[in-house]
Amino acid sequence: MITAGPLIELAGEQWRGVSDGAQRLGCDLVCFVGSALNHPDPHKRRANTVYDLISPNRIDA
């Protein structure tokens, strides 16, 4: 799962739906939390380095 902003901003139902679906399918859930792409604040853009961890070599979905 990829999201921008703190998880607290996600609706509880949305988060539960994603985690329940992953559990039902026997999948591990990995959540990458960054910031909006091209955010004007350089500190917030720095959070997007977490997106570099997403690659077909590391994640299979």
Side-chain angles (χ1 to χ4, degrees):
M1 181 173 156
I2 303 168
T3 185
L7 288 178
I8 195 73
E9 292 177 7
L10 288 176
E13 290 181 31
Q14 179 185 9
W15 177 251
R16 282 191 299 274
V18 170
S19 61
D20 289 349
Q23 184 177 21
R24 189 171 40 256
L25 295 171
C27 298
D28 294 324
L29 177 60
V30 179
C31 185
F32 297 91
V33 182
S35 183
L37 298 177
N38 300 316
H39 196 285
D41 181 342
H43 292 95
K44 292 198 183 243
R45 276 196 315 268
R46 192 175 320 145
N48 293 341
T49 58
V50 72
Y51 298 146
D52 294 337
L53 297 173
I54 304 168
S55 75
N57 301 358
R58 297 180 176 166
I59 305 294
D60 63 1

